[in-house]
Amino acid sequence: MYLNSIFTDPVRLERLMDISQSSWLPLIEGMIQYTIPLSFIAFVLGLAIAVLTALARISTIKIFQVIARVYVSIIRGTPLLVQLFILFYGLPTIGVVIDPFPAAIIGFSLNVGAYASEVIRAAILSIPKGQWEAANTIGMSYAQSLRRVILPQAARVSIPPLSNTFISLIKDTSLASLILVTEMFRVAQQIAATNYEFLLLYGQAALIYWLVCFLLSLGQGRLENRFDRYVSR
Amino acid sequence: MISITDLHKKFGKLEVLKGIDLKLEKGQAVVVIGPSGSGKTTFLRCLNILEVPSKGVITIDEQTVDFSKPVSKKQVNAFRKQSAMVFQHYNLFPHMTALENVMEGPVIVQGIDKATARKKAQALLEKVGLADKADEYPFQLSGGQQQRVGIARALALEPKVMLFDEPTSALDPELVGEVLQVMKDLAAEGMTMVVVTHEMRFARGVADEVLFMDGGVIVERGKPEDIFSHPKEARTQQFLSLISNTDAI
Ligand SMILES: Nc1ncnc2c1ncn2[C@@H]1O[C@H](COP(=O)(O)OP(=O)(O)OP(=O)(O)O)[C@@H](O)[C@H]1O
Ligand SMILES: [Mg+2]
């Protein structure tokens, strides 16, 4: 019936075209202003947290191991949406008020940090012990060995799984709409609320997400090639 | 030059080194032989503190560390710089070219500027016969070439002692000679070396002394011709007859 009405009713078709046309810009704005910065900042901060967490997990100092384990366990064991709600709606009840965007940054960074730390830990552990020893025998400290020898090799191993993390993150930022960040999906919701064309607007939003993720997966391929120059295939 | 007193190493309950005493003069080349599991690798690794000895005193040149007491990271780092290890499986850094592998220590550890380090690394690669392979990555090199880069990388830090752990045993037979030649040249230049190897021809030709290790102790030591031709200890005789069957001598 709905479908029918689109094709038989030229007035309705025109209305849809109009809404669609006028929606692209605000949607893309939401993407560029919030979705992409949110994803990007949270990913960078998350990676930093992840490296530290991974190092804590493999360190010989018990207390570091425990803190890292508990952190990863909490983040992985609770829904992202609940984490965001605690940050944005929960904390104010004890007097900690955080604006939507910073709250989202904190939430997504912590989330990425936990998941990526497992990836990075596995990547570090996959580097043969002989690499640490070679670094040691030429006099490198722990930090130098990590920075110059271990992490560059671990980075190569981590690219595919970390790309997945990043792509998931971009899609997950749509959850930030629920803590009032006007990222793309919230923009879509707001427009749809005025004209009730939910299918159209959510479809447009989906299309943009897909396009961005597709471009990113192209980037992933190029990055992998760059890192593969030193291994035989 | 090197003095080792009552060196012990335990892994948990397993005592792998059970009291090693050894004195070496500057410029001496020593070959260590012995059956698998006798502790040869562990012994070398202790000299470079890749394993921390459980007990014992090691002196290299002017530095002495007593492992009966707790040792600080700083002490370990300073002590380690006096020796450098060449590994059985090369352990080159796969993400760096041959030249970068050799430059890494001087630039990162010693803080030498890149241009100087590059010249030095180039000279070292030339010395091991790989001047034309400077820009190749390890995966592009043969095993023998990789091991020679490994030797150049170790030399770049100007260690007082070079430690070799079966440097040719992972190599195809036709590639062994090129690596041994580099080591022979080093010995001739007066480098102090401790070499774990079963290459008897190398031991006979180059070693000032041969140590036979078994069960975590040095069972017998002496000039290569004495050890190989007139071993005194029954365990040495037995070991030598075993490996001579596989025509290593
Ligand atoms: N990190 C470790 N943890 C526990 N045991 C170890 C460790 N490293 C070596 N060992 C044990 O110590 C003993 C001596 O090992 P080592 O590698 O020094 O012998 P090796 O003489 O070099 O033998 P090979 O000729 O096979 O190389 C072996 O029984 C080995 O299992
Ligand atoms: Mg060994």
Side-chain angles (χ1 to χ4, degrees), chain A residues 93-109:
Chain A
T93 61
I94 55 164
V96 182
V97 181
I98 314 175
D99 282 343
F101 191 70
I105 294 271
I106 295 172
F108 287 110
S109 302

mmCIF file with all atom_site columns, all heavy atoms in Angstrom, chain A residues 93-109:
data_model
loop_
_atom_site.group_PDB
_atom_site.id
_atom_site.type_symbol
_atom_site.label_atom_id
_atom_site.label_alt_id
_atom_site.label_comp_id
_atom_site.label_asym_id
_atom_site.label_entity_id
_atom_site.label_seq_id
_atom_site.pdbx_PDB_ins_code
_atom_site.Cartn_x
_atom_site.Cartn_y
_atom_site.Cartn_z
_atom_site.occupancy
_atom_site.B_iso_or_equiv
_atom_site.pdbx_formal_charge
_atom_site.auth_seq_id
_atom_site.auth_comp_id
_atom_site.auth_asym_id
_atom_site.auth_atom_id
_atom_site.pdbx_PDB_model_num
ATOM 1   N N   . THR A 1 93  ? 24.019 12.574 38.790 1.00 0.00 ? 93  THR A N   1
ATOM 2   C CA  . THR A 1 93  ? 23.348 12.397 40.081 1.00 0.00 ? 93  THR A CA  1
ATOM 3   C C   . THR A 1 93  ? 24.334 12.438 41.241 1.00 0.00 ? 93  THR A C   1
ATOM 4   O O   . THR A 1 93  ? 23.933 12.604 42.385 1.00 0.00 ? 93  THR A O   1
ATOM 5   C CB  . THR A 1 93  ? 22.569 11.074 40.149 1.00 0.00 ? 93  THR A CB  1
ATOM 6   O OG1 . THR A 1 93  ? 23.489 10.006 39.994 1.00 0.00 ? 93  THR A OG1 1
ATOM 7   C CG2 . THR A 1 93  ? 21.506 10.992 39.071 1.00 0.00 ? 93  THR A CG2 1
ATOM 8   N N   . ILE A 1 94  ? 25.624 12.261 40.948 1.00 0.00 ? 94  ILE A N   1
ATOM 9   C CA  . ILE A 1 94  ? 26.596 12.476 42.025 1.00 0.00 ? 94  ILE A CA  1
ATOM 10  C C   . ILE A 1 94  ? 27.398 13.752 41.755 1.00 0.00 ? 94  ILE A C   1
ATOM 11  O O   . ILE A 1 94  ? 28.513 13.928 42.239 1.00 0.00 ? 94  ILE A O   1
ATOM 12  C CB  . ILE A 1 94  ? 27.542 11.273 42.224 1.00 0.00 ? 94  ILE A CB  1
ATOM 13  C CG1 . ILE A 1 94  ? 28.233 10.913 40.913 1.00 0.00 ? 94  ILE A CG1 1
ATOM 14  C CG2 . ILE A 1 94  ? 26.796 10.069 42.786 1.00 0.00 ? 94  ILE A CG2 1
ATOM 15  C CD1 . ILE A 1 94  ? 29.446 10.010 41.106 1.00 0.00 ? 94  ILE A CD1 1
ATOM 16  N N   . GLY A 1 95  ? 26.821 14.608 40.947 1.00 0.00 ? 95  GLY A N   1
ATOM 17  C CA  . GLY A 1 95  ? 27.408 15.928 40.767 1.00 0.00 ? 95  GLY A CA  1
ATOM 18  C C   . GLY A 1 95  ? 28.459 16.037 39.671 1.00 0.00 ? 95  GLY A C   1
ATOM 19  O O   . GLY A 1 95  ? 29.081 17.072 39.511 1.00 0.00 ? 95  GLY A O   1
ATOM 20  N N   . VAL A 1 96  ? 28.661 14.960 38.908 1.00 0.00 ? 96  VAL A N   1
ATOM 21  C CA  . VAL A 1 96  ? 29.642 15.028 37.814 1.00 0.00 ? 96  VAL A CA  1
ATOM 22  C C   . VAL A 1 96  ? 28.873 15.200 36.514 1.00 0.00 ? 96  VAL A C   1
ATOM 23  O O   . VAL A 1 96  ? 28.252 14.259 36.015 1.00 0.00 ? 96  VAL A O   1
ATOM 24  C CB  . VAL A 1 96  ? 30.501 13.753 37.749 1.00 0.00 ? 96  VAL A CB  1
ATOM 25  C CG1 . VAL A 1 96  ? 31.527 13.881 36.644 1.00 0.00 ? 96  VAL A CG1 1
ATOM 26  C CG2 . VAL A 1 96  ? 31.170 13.499 39.091 1.00 0.00 ? 96  VAL A CG2 1
ATOM 27  N N   . VAL A 1 97  ? 28.889 16.418 35.991 1.00 0.00 ? 97  VAL A N   1
ATOM 28  C CA  . VAL A 1 97  ? 28.138 16.676 34.766 1.00 0.00 ? 97  VAL A CA  1
ATOM 29  C C   . VAL A 1 97  ? 29.106 16.796 33.595 1.00 0.00 ? 97  VAL A C   1
ATOM 30  O O   . VAL A 1 97  ? 30.040 17.597 33.638 1.00 0.00 ? 97  VAL A O   1
ATOM 31  C CB  . VAL A 1 97  ? 27.313 17.973 34.891 1.00 0.00 ? 97  VAL A CB  1
ATOM 32  C CG1 . VAL A 1 97  ? 26.517 18.208 33.612 1.00 0.00 ? 97  VAL A CG1 1
ATOM 33  C CG2 . VAL A 1 97  ? 26.408 17.881 36.105 1.00 0.00 ? 97  VAL A CG2 1
ATOM 34  N N   . ILE A 1 98  ? 28.904 15.973 32.590 1.00 0.00 ? 98  ILE A N   1
ATOM 35  C CA  . ILE A 1 98  ? 29.761 16.024 31.407 1.00 0.00 ? 98  ILE A CA  1
ATOM 36  C C   . ILE A 1 98  ? 28.876 16.310 30.198 1.00 0.00 ? 98  ILE A C   1
ATOM 37  O O   . ILE A 1 98  ? 27.814 15.711 30.055 1.00 0.00 ? 98  ILE A O   1
ATOM 38  C CB  . ILE A 1 98  ? 30.499 14.681 31.198 1.00 0.00 ? 98  ILE A CB  1
ATOM 39  C CG1 . ILE A 1 98  ? 31.095 14.192 32.521 1.00 0.00 ? 98  ILE A CG1 1
ATOM 40  C CG2 . ILE A 1 98  ? 31.595 14.826 30.157 1.00 0.00 ? 98  ILE A CG2 1
ATOM 41  C CD1 . ILE A 1 98  ? 31.733 12.818 32.419 1.00 0.00 ? 98  ILE A CD1 1
ATOM 42  N N   . ASP A 1 99  ? 29.352 17.195 29.329 1.00 0.00 ? 99  ASP A N   1
ATOM 43  C CA  . ASP A 1 99  ? 28.584 17.503 28.122 1.00 0.00 ? 99  ASP A CA  1
ATOM 44  C C   . ASP A 1 99  ? 28.492 16.273 27.219 1.00 0.00 ? 99  ASP A C   1
ATOM 45  O O   . ASP A 1 99  ? 29.320 15.369 27.325 1.00 0.00 ? 99  ASP A O   1
ATOM 46  C CB  . ASP A 1 99  ? 29.262 18.642 27.355 1.00 0.00 ? 99  ASP A CB  1
ATOM 47  C CG  . ASP A 1 99  ? 28.963 19.983 28.017 1.00 0.00 ? 99  ASP A CG  1
ATOM 48  O OD1 . ASP A 1 99  ? 28.006 20.041 28.826 1.00 0.00 ? 99  ASP A OD1 1
ATOM 49  O OD2 . ASP A 1 99  ? 29.703 20.948 27.749 1.00 0.00 ? 99  ASP A OD2 1
ATOM 50  N N   . PRO A 1 100 ? 27.504 16.272 26.328 1.00 0.00 ? 100 PRO A N   1
ATOM 51  C CA  . PRO A 1 100 ? 27.317 15.085 25.482 1.00 0.00 ? 100 PRO A CA  1
ATOM 52  C C   . PRO A 1 100 ? 28.580 14.658 24.724 1.00 0.00 ? 100 PRO A C   1
ATOM 53  O O   . PRO A 1 100 ? 28.982 13.496 24.781 1.00 0.00 ? 100 PRO A O   1
ATOM 54  C CB  . PRO A 1 100 ? 26.224 15.516 24.508 1.00 0.00 ? 100 PRO A CB  1
ATOM 55  C CG  . PRO A 1 100 ? 25.458 16.557 25.239 1.00 0.00 ? 100 PRO A CG  1
ATOM 56  C CD  . PRO A 1 100 ? 26.448 17.263 26.136 1.00 0.00 ? 100 PRO A CD  1
ATOM 57  N N   . PHE A 1 101 ? 29.203 15.614 24.021 1.00 0.00 ? 101 PHE A N   1
ATOM 58  C CA  . PHE A 1 101 ? 30.327 15.212 23.174 1.00 0.00 ? 101 PHE A CA  1
ATOM 59  C C   . PHE A 1 101 ? 31.501 14.652 23.982 1.00 0.00 ? 101 PHE A C   1
ATOM 60  O O   . PHE A 1 101 ? 31.986 13.548 23.699 1.00 0.00 ? 101 PHE A O   1
ATOM 61  C CB  . PHE A 1 101 ? 30.765 16.381 22.279 1.00 0.00 ? 101 PHE A CB  1
ATOM 62  C CG  . PHE A 1 101 ? 31.733 15.977 21.205 1.00 0.00 ? 101 PHE A CG  1
ATOM 63  C CD1 . PHE A 1 101 ? 31.333 15.187 20.136 1.00 0.00 ? 101 PHE A CD1 1
ATOM 64  C CD2 . PHE A 1 101 ? 33.062 16.382 21.273 1.00 0.00 ? 101 PHE A CD2 1
ATOM 65  C CE1 . PHE A 1 101 ? 32.227 14.800 19.153 1.00 0.00 ? 101 PHE A CE1 1
ATOM 66  C CE2 . PHE A 1 101 ? 33.963 16.006 20.288 1.00 0.00 ? 101 PHE A CE2 1
ATOM 67  C CZ  . PHE A 1 101 ? 33.543 15.213 19.229 1.00 0.00 ? 101 PHE A CZ  1
ATOM 68  N N   . PRO A 1 102 ? 31.964 15.379 25.027 1.00 0.00 ? 102 PRO A N   1
ATOM 69  C CA  . PRO A 1 102 ? 33.048 14.786 25.842 1.00 0.00 ? 102 PRO A CA  1
ATOM 70  C C   . PRO A 1 102 ? 32.645 13.470 26.500 1.00 0.00 ? 102 PRO A C   1
ATOM 71  O O   . PRO A 1 102 ? 33.466 12.547 26.582 1.00 0.00 ? 102 PRO A O   1
ATOM 72  C CB  . PRO A 1 102 ? 33.325 15.843 26.922 1.00 0.00 ? 102 PRO A CB  1
ATOM 73  C CG  . PRO A 1 102 ? 32.597 17.066 26.532 1.00 0.00 ? 102 PRO A CG  1
ATOM 74  C CD  . PRO A 1 102 ? 31.649 16.752 25.444 1.00 0.00 ? 102 PRO A CD  1
ATOM 75  N N   . ALA A 1 103 ? 31.391 13.373 26.911 1.00 0.00 ? 103 ALA A N   1
ATOM 76  C CA  . ALA A 1 103 ? 30.957 12.108 27.514 1.00 0.00 ? 103 ALA A CA  1
ATOM 77  C C   . ALA A 1 103 ? 31.082 10.978 26.494 1.00 0.00 ? 103 ALA A C   1
ATOM 78  O O   . ALA A 1 103 ? 31.543 9.870  26.812 1.00 0.00 ? 103 ALA A O   1
ATOM 79  C CB  . ALA A 1 103 ? 29.517 12.222 27.998 1.00 0.00 ? 103 ALA A CB  1
ATOM 80  N N   . ALA A 1 104 ? 30.695 11.279 25.255 1.00 0.00 ? 104 ALA A N   1
ATOM 81  C CA  . ALA A 1 104 ? 30.802 10.263 24.204 1.00 0.00 ? 104 ALA A CA  1
ATOM 82  C C   . ALA A 1 104 ? 32.270 9.909  23.955 1.00 0.00 ? 104 ALA A C   1
ATOM 83  O O   . ALA A 1 104 ? 32.621 8.734  23.793 1.00 0.00 ? 104 ALA A O   1
ATOM 84  C CB  . ALA A 1 104 ? 30.147 10.769 22.920 1.00 0.00 ? 104 ALA A CB  1
ATOM 85  N N   . ILE A 1 105 ? 33.119 10.930 23.915 1.00 0.00 ? 105 ILE A N   1
ATOM 86  C CA  . ILE A 1 105 ? 34.552 10.674 23.700 1.00 0.00 ? 105 ILE A CA  1
ATOM 87  C C   . ILE A 1 105 ? 35.074 9.733  24.784 1.00 0.00 ? 105 ILE A C   1
ATOM 88  O O   . ILE A 1 105 ? 35.755 8.736  24.494 1.00 0.00 ? 105 ILE A O   1
ATOM 89  C CB  . ILE A 1 105 ? 35.362 11.998 23.762 1.00 0.00 ? 105 ILE A CB  1
ATOM 90  C CG1 . ILE A 1 105 ? 34.983 12.898 22.596 1.00 0.00 ? 105 ILE A CG1 1
ATOM 91  C CG2 . ILE A 1 105 ? 36.863 11.718 23.796 1.00 0.00 ? 105 ILE A CG2 1
ATOM 92  C CD1 . ILE A 1 105 ? 35.790 12.703 21.360 1.00 0.00 ? 105 ILE A CD1 1
ATOM 93  N N   . ILE A 1 106 ? 34.741 10.045 26.030 1.00 0.00 ? 106 ILE A N   1
ATOM 94  C CA  . ILE A 1 106 ? 35.231 9.210  27.128 1.00 0.00 ? 106 ILE A CA  1
ATOM 95  C C   . ILE A 1 106 ? 34.711 7.775  26.984 1.00 0.00 ? 106 ILE A C   1
ATOM 96  O O   . ILE A 1 106 ? 35.465 6.811  27.031 1.00 0.00 ? 106 ILE A O   1
ATOM 97  C CB  . ILE A 1 106 ? 34.794 9.803  28.497 1.00 0.00 ? 106 ILE A CB  1
ATOM 98  C CG1 . ILE A 1 106 ? 35.460 11.165 28.713 1.00 0.00 ? 106 ILE A CG1 1
ATOM 99  C CG2 . ILE A 1 106 ? 35.161 8.849  29.631 1.00 0.00 ? 106 ILE A CG2 1
ATOM 100 C CD1 . ILE A 1 106 ? 34.943 11.905 29.947 1.00 0.00 ? 106 ILE A CD1 1
ATOM 101 N N   . GLY A 1 107 ? 33.413 7.676  26.751 1.00 0.00 ? 107 GLY A N   1
ATOM 102 C CA  . GLY A 1 107 ? 32.811 6.344  26.654 1.00 0.00 ? 107 GLY A CA  1
ATOM 103 C C   . GLY A 1 107 ? 33.411 5.517  25.538 1.00 0.00 ? 107 GLY A C   1
ATOM 104 O O   . GLY A 1 107 ? 33.829 4.374  25.745 1.00 0.00 ? 107 GLY A O   1
ATOM 105 N N   . PHE A 1 108 ? 33.496 6.108  24.342 1.00 0.00 ? 108 PHE A N   1
ATOM 106 C CA  . PHE A 1 108 ? 34.002 5.334  23.204 1.00 0.00 ? 108 PHE A CA  1
ATOM 107 C C   . PHE A 1 108 ? 35.493 5.047  23.345 1.00 0.00 ? 108 PHE A C   1
ATOM 108 O O   . PHE A 1 108 ? 35.963 3.986  22.943 1.00 0.00 ? 108 PHE A O   1
ATOM 109 C CB  . PHE A 1 108 ? 33.701 6.061  21.894 1.00 0.00 ? 108 PHE A CB  1
ATOM 110 C CG  . PHE A 1 108 ? 32.253 6.004  21.509 1.00 0.00 ? 108 PHE A CG  1
ATOM 111 C CD1 . PHE A 1 108 ? 31.446 7.128  21.560 1.00 0.00 ? 108 PHE A CD1 1
ATOM 112 C CD2 . PHE A 1 108 ? 31.677 4.796  21.099 1.00 0.00 ? 108 PHE A CD2 1
ATOM 113 C CE1 . PHE A 1 108 ? 30.100 7.070  21.217 1.00 0.00 ? 108 PHE A CE1 1
ATOM 114 C CE2 . PHE A 1 108 ? 30.338 4.727  20.757 1.00 0.00 ? 108 PHE A CE2 1
ATOM 115 C CZ  . PHE A 1 108 ? 29.543 5.864  20.821 1.00 0.00 ? 108 PHE A CZ  1
ATOM 116 N N   . SER A 1 109 ? 36.252 5.994  23.913 1.00 0.00 ? 109 SER A N   1
ATOM 117 C CA  . SER A 1 109 ? 37.694 5.746  24.098 1.00 0.00 ? 109 SER A CA  1
ATOM 118 C C   . SER A 1 109 ? 37.915 4.557  25.024 1.00 0.00 ? 109 SER A C   1
ATOM 119 O O   . SER A 1 109 ? 38.730 3.674  24.749 1.00 0.00 ? 109 SER A O   1
ATOM 120 C CB  . SER A 1 109 ? 38.398 6.961  24.701 1.00 0.00 ? 109 SER A CB  1
ATOM 121 O OG  . SER A 1 109 ? 38.218 8.082  23.892 1.00 0.00 ? 109 SER A OG  1
#
